[in-house]
Each structure stands twice: as C-alpha cells, then as structure tokens.
C-alpha cells in the first residue's frame, strides 16, 4: 500500500484509496511499477472481454447500440435498427443516406423536434455531439463516437443536441439517418452553426 500511496503523491492526487487510480494491489492485478523514471496513470477498463463499451454516452438522452455483423457464405449481413432494441419508442418517419468524401465535415447542426438515428454503413466517421440544452443534466458536454463498417453502431440523438460528422480514412463514407419525423420541405427542422463556432468548445475543423 505504501508504494501505491507514493504513486498517488507523484501523480499529484490526494486519494485515500489507490484503487481510484486503478492501482490494484492484490495478486494477479495491476501493481504500481517500481523503478520507473516517471509514474503514469494506468488505463481504466473501457470495454468488456467481448469488446463492448462499458461507458454510457456522456450526454443525457443519447443512446448507442453496438451491432455485430454476421458472416455469411457470400459476405456479411448487418442489422441497422430493430424495435426490440428499445432505443426509443418513436416511429421511423424517413430514411436517407449521405455520401461523404474523405475528410468531409457536415458542420454543427441541431433539431428542435426531430430525433436522428445515425448509422455508418461504408467507411468510417467520427460523430461529435454537444449538449446545448440548458435544462439538461449534461449541458455543455462534448462527446464523440467513431463508428463505421468495421465497428457498426446506431446512435440516437435527441432534439437540442448539436452534432457534426467527420469522414475518416481514405475512402468515401456512407451515413444513414433513420429520423422519426420526415424532412419538412417548407420548414426544415435544421438549425446550423459553422464547424469552428465559438459557441461549442470543440472545433470540427
């Protein structure tokens, strides 16, 4: 325990329980290393042994469903959305796709009443979210999720949460959106900010 306490002091932390820093002292678990030129912070667990994320989204109302592709005799089959996943109880009012060239950025946008359900089926994208709802317990929080064909997931984004998408890698990305309310041609429910706006503490470009 003395070694763990010393490690805590070197990290500039004043904690009574070294386990809070991931410095586990029992046999077979991580132990604060001896003789290093500097002490670092050990990684905490972020996935299960099945590589499923253990941390919920940091923004209230945002939901993520990791999806496993199924290998078939002639390729792969990947589900996109099922009612029984219980992500929400809203209808699917429209499905559309967006093609994004490598490095393309959508810019920040939010909806007043529409829920987005984003799924990247080709390539890879980073979906960045910012909670702009003043009454939300996670107001002001920025959160990111990288998804794509190799790691499929569907992300449900509630109204009032600003979001932007960046295409990653050298290939075109294809993004599906299963919105609960169809696009209104005469009065679009789209509110936009530039990708480098000062209103959000993260710049997409």
């Amino acid at each position: 325990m003395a070694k763990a306490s010393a490690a805590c002091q070197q990290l500039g932390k004043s904690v009574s329980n070294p386990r809070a820093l991931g410095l586990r002292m029992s046999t077979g678990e991580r132990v604060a290393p001896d003789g290093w030129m500097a002490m670092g912070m050990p990684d905490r667990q972020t996935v299960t042994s099945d590589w499923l994320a253990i941390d919920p989204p940091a923004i209230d109302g945002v939901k993520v469903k990791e999806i496993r592709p199924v290998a078939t005799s002639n390729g792969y089959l990947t589900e996109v959305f099922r009612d029984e996943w219980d992500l929400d109880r809203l209808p699917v009012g429209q499905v559309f796709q967006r093609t994004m060239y490598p490095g393309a950025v959508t810019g920040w946008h939010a909806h007043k009443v529409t829920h987005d359900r984003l799924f990247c089926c080709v390539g890879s994208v980073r979906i960045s979210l910012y909670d702009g709802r003043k009454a939300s317990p996670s107001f002001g929080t920025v959160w990111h999720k990288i998804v794509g064909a190799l790691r499929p997931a569907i992300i449900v984004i509630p109204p009032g949460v600003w979001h932007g998408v960046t295409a990653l890698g050298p290939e075109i990305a294809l993004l599906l959106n299963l919105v609960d309310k169809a696009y209104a041609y005469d009065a679009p429910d789209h509110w936009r900010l530039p990708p480098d706006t000062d209103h959000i503490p993260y710049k997409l470009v």
Side-chain angles (χ1 to χ4, degrees), residues 4-87:
S5 298
C8 294
Q9 291 176 2
Q10 288 181 6
L11 287 168
K13 305 288 184 180
S14 57
V15 295
S16 58
N17 180 10
R19 291 177 183 272
L21 292 177
L23 302 174
R24 303 173 184 172
M25 301 308 295
S26 62
T27 303
E29 295 184 330
R30 292 182 298 178
V31 178
D34 233 351
W36 281 16
M37 51 80 70
M39 179 62 62
M41 282 286 279
D43 284 352
R44 64 182 183 82
Q45 183 178 1
T46 58
V47 295
T48 67
S49 59
D50 291 325
W51 282 93
L52 297 176
I54 62 173
D55 289 334
I59 295 180
D60 186 59
V62 174
K63 296 183 179 179
V64 176
K65 170 65 178 177
E66 301 268 0
I67 302 166
R68 292 182 176 179
V70 178
T72 67
S73 61
N74 55 4
Y76 288 87
L77 183 147
T78 304
E79 294 182 301
V80 176
F81 184 81
R82 293 176 66 98
D83 284 342
E84 64 195 61
W85 289 344
D86 201 27
L87 295 172

Side-chain angles (χ1 to χ4, degrees), residues 52-173:
L52 297 176
I54 62 173
D55 289 334
I59 295 180
D60 186 59
V62 174
K63 296 183 179 179
V64 176
K65 170 65 178 177
E66 301 268 0
I67 302 166
R68 292 182 176 179
V70 178
T72 67
S73 61
N74 55 4
Y76 288 87
L77 183 147
T78 304
E79 294 182 301
V80 176
F81 184 81
R82 293 176 66 98
D83 284 342
E84 64 195 61
W85 289 344
D86 201 27
L87 295 172
D88 56 62
R89 294 297 182 182
L90 301 170
V92 176
Q94 181 187 25
V95 179
F96 61 89
Q97 68 178 31
R98 174 189 290 272
T99 300
M100 299 181 67
Y101 295 122
V105 177
T106 64
W108 291 108
H109 59 284
H111 310 292
K112 183 177 180 180
V113 295
T114 304
H115 286 73
D116 279 346
R117 303 182 185 100
L118 300 182
F119 181 91
C120 179
C121 54
V122 175
S124 178
V125 299
R126 180 176 57 246
I127 299 175
S128 300
L129 308 182
Y130 173 73
D131 192 352
R133 303 164 298 176
K134 292 183 178 179
S136 169
S138 55
F139 171 65
T141 299
V142 175
W143 182 77
H144 309 275
K145 181 73 172 178
I146 295 176
V147 297
L150 296 179
R151 186 68 181 191
I154 188 165
I155 301 178
V156 180
I157 306 172
V161 174
W162 294 87
H163 46 288
V165 181
T166 303
L168 305 174
E171 61 181 325
I172 286 176

